[in-house]
Amino acid sequence: EVQLVESGGGLVQPGGSLRLSCAASGFTFSNYIMHWVRQAPGKGLEYVSVILREGGGTLHADSVKDRFTTSRDNSKDTLYLQMGSLRLEDTAVYYCAREGGSSGLAPFFDFWGQGTRVTVSS
Amino acid sequence: DIQMTQSPSTLSASVGDRVTITCRASQSINNWLAWYQHNPGEAPKLLIYKASSLESGVPSRFSGSGSGTEFTLTISSLQPDDFATYYCQQYHSYSYTFGQGTKLEIK
């Protein structure tokens, strides 16, 4: 059974840092492109970042570029989101999601975690 | 970046109704369009991918159609579990974007 379990959320002050983790199981993690998506309170889903399979090339949304870093450890089946220079508007539930195919182009998200809540507040 | 305009933002309907949600892209996205169902406190659920392909395990009352820039999600006969928020999502040239969401409410 595919499982994605996020952790690391919490309360952090503006300007602070936090690292989120997403532990994967039930599939060959290294074969899949992985993503982060967030949802601010009362808002819709917002795309955050993508990391490719082996080699780990990344892309980030403009709203988090140069502040957030996405990485993965395929030996630990874990995805990370290092969040820095946090702002009030980064307050959200953060989801990790698996891209749909183990090869080729399948740019949709077939499995999601339950999310971890990040609150940026003084 | 490609913008996705989803409508309506809220939809009131009754069990048994047929409903349609629309998503428009600011430019052609070659059918890389997916639809998700999201309930509060839960993980979003993939319903439709590549505009019209039904994800395994999703009831056949859900269907997707469209091409180029205009896409629709149709639920043929609403069931109680279907009252949720629905999002479209596009992919084009290493860019991913969600629509603003449609909240489907019980009338």
Side-chain angles (χ1 to χ4, degrees):
Chain A
E1 178 193 6
V2 171
Q3 284 200 324
L4 297 170
V5 179
E6 301 94 339
S7 61
L11 176 64
V12 60
Q13 291 188 337
S17 299
L18 207 58
R19 189 177 82 158
L20 307 183
S21 300
C22 170
S25 60
F27 64 102
T28 304
F29 179 72
S30 60
N31 286 352
Y32 286 83
I33 296 170
M34 298 295 296
H35 302 263
W36 288 100
V37 176
R38 69 184 181 182
Q39 184 177 34
K43 303 292 186 180
L45 298 175
E46 180 189 12
Y47 188 77
V48 174
S49 71
V50 57
I51 185 164
L52 303 184
R53 302 178 182 94
E54 302 284 351
T58 62
L59 288 171
H60 293 82
D62 287 344
S63 59
V64 306
K65 199 174 293 184
D66 300 326
R67 299 188 300 119
F68 290 11
T69 301
T70 301
S71 62
R72 65 192 298 163
D73 186 336
N74 288 338
S75 69
K76 295 183 178 178
D77 292 346
T78 302
L79 172 71
Y80 302 101
L81 183 67
Q82 179 68 48
M83 310 165 66
S85 301
L86 282 161
R87 305 168 179 170
L88 298 178
E89 57 265 34
D90 295 319
T91 295
V93 175
Y94 285 75
Y95 299 96
C96 63
R98 189 184 83 166
E99 187 157 307
S102 59
S103 63
L105 185 60
F108 48 87
F109 315 127
D110 62 350
F111 284 95
W112 299 63
Q114 292 289 327
T116 187
R117 186 174 300 276
V118 172
T119 302
V120 183
S121 175
S122 55
Chain B
D1 286 358
I2 294 180
Q3 307 302 314
M4 302 301 292
T5 303
Q6 188 174 336
S7 61
S9 55
T10 307
L11 181 56
S12 296
S14 302
V15 172
D17 284 354
R18 178 186 179 91
V19 298
T20 298
I21 299 168
T22 298
C23 220
R24 289 186 176 87
S26 57
Q27 65 185 79
S28 177
I29 56 174
N30 294 322
N31 294 355
W32 288 122
L33 192 286
W35 291 96
Y36 302 87
Q37 178 190 66
H38 192 204
N39 285 297
E42 297 182 6
K45 176 185 177 182
L46 175 67
L47 302 173
I48 302 288
Y49 62 93
K50 209 163 191 303
S52 60
S53 296
L54 189 69
E55 173 70 348
S56 176
V58 174
S60 58
R61 64 180 179 273
F62 292 91
S63 64
S65 65
S67 63
T69 62
E70 186 153 338
F71 302 87
T72 59
L73 172 70
T74 299
I75 309 173
S76 60
S77 178
L78 278 172
Q79 299 302 301
D81 284 351
D82 299 339
F83 293 95
T85 301
Y86 292 84
Y87 295 91
C88 62
Q89 171 252 318
Q90 71 83 27
Y91 167 83
H92 181 75
S93 296
Y94 305 104
S95 170
Y96 303 77
T97 315
F98 289 93
Q100 305 96 312
T102 295
K103 187 174 183 180
L104 181 53
E105 300 178 331
I106 300 175
K107 185 184 286 185

